[in-house]
Amino acid sequence: MASAKHNLLAVILGGGAGSRLFPLTQQRSKPAVPVGGKYRLVDIPISNCINSDILKIFILTQYNSASLNRHIAQTYRFSQFSNGFVEILAAEQTPESPQWFQGTADAVRQVLPHIGGWGIDTLLILSGDHLYTMDYRGFLQRHYDTDADVTVSVIPCAAEAASEFGLLKTDQDGRIVEFKEKPKGEALETMRVDQSGFGLSPDEAAARPFLASMGIYVFKYDRMQGLLAEDSSWLDFGREVIPAAIGRGKVQAFMFDGYWEDIGTISAFYKANLDLTTKIPKFNLFDAEAPVYTRARYLPPSKIEESEIRDSMISDGCIMIGARVSSSVIGLRSRIAKGVQIDASIVMGADYYQSLEEMRNETQADLPPVGIGEQAIIRRAIIDKNARIGSGVRLLNEAGVLNVDAEDKSYYIREGIIIVPKNAVIRSGTVI
């Protein structure tokens, strides 16, 4: 086992403000965004670590971190007889660094005093907002076998997506010789690589001629310390630290050819969730060898009456009466009333149940209860937690609007997808 001979620590980067995922990141950080009905994005890298026998994990947070902190505290408690932990390291202002985290490398630089005391020789750096299954032991073994200073996990990439990533070139031994962050135009064309040497078929190699960095790195701890100390203006691993490391030491590539999705935009988030409802999803939640862990909530089974459900995922604790649901992800404690139609949508559910008395009182006060009211029709939408959708509401975007912000902030449209933010109210009869 790769980690047995080495003292290893994993650091998961909590991400910046996540503005491209707004309004899902209005009240939470990117890693805390719900995914797959009952999980949060941060559960993915933490589960990958646990399944790879990596049990010392720090999560670096800064923006809107309250719900992420609560989730970590309620979910990941290892046995007192184990030396494993999952701990939050929040950005802090100190006499040495009065600034908040300025980038990925700066975040790690600022927390070095907290992780230096662990006597580690290897640091695994992960992102908190990617969807993928990976056994990091193979990645680490490659790092140790090649005696690299840094190993970068890479994925073959098609031309249309390549300019969104850091791209790299390697020699025949897999050593990285060039790295460019999000190149465009001619700079992009110079980064084409023959992928057939990485075990891809000629057709696959031609379809995906670029090597994209996944933003996942393994460092020799002392080499990383040296690089971060060299120039305090280096704030980002992809933009500054990795290119500098290529000129100063041995930087290796590790090829990952599984499913990997950077959940950076609303459309990426929407597509990745809806893919989970397909016959054979790209991301497998049913892999017994690599379970995805999350908070145990002890909810009742979902209760479904007189409803028609096709190609969908229904989470725990839902109550659904006389509804039609297709190609959708229905989250925890969702309450869906009679005659509701939901198609190609993500309903994140609720954090709590309302009593019948509360619902009666709110109905008398002309406030829809939490959930989706009778005869509502929802298509191509994301309904965030605790939203109140009144009866007869139609969320269809029939005009095909691409981007808009409602004046009362009760809904947003991004890339043609209607988003109802957390705790928002859509009054009965509203048509969007």
Side-chain angles (χ1 to χ4, degrees), residues 139 142-143 146-154 167-179 198 211 213 216-220 223-224 227 237-238 240-254:
F139 183 23
R142 165 90 179 154
H143 177 72
T146 56
D147 194 32
D149 296 317
V150 190
T151 304
V152 181
S153 188
V154 302
L167 301 182
L168 45 89
K169 283 176 134 173
T170 64
D171 63 17
Q172 64 270 30
D173 298 321
R175 183 168 178 165
I176 297 171
V177 293
E178 190 178 353
F179 187 101
F198 284 98
L211 275 182
S213 165
I216 299 173
Y217 316 106
V218 184
F219 278 89
K220 276 185 182 170
R223 290 294 295 129
M224 191 199 63
L227 282 163
F237 282 115
E240 291 124 0
V241 175
I242 300 299
I246 290 166
R248 290 163 173 75
K250 193 173 182 185
V251 182
Q252 281 283 336
F254 170 77

Side-chain angles (χ1 to χ4, degrees), residues 77-92:
R77 298 175 185 154
F78 295 145
S79 158
Q80 62 189 27
F81 301 108
S82 144
N83 62 359
F85 60 83
V86 181
E87 275 185 29
I88 297 280
L89 282 181
E92 58 185 1

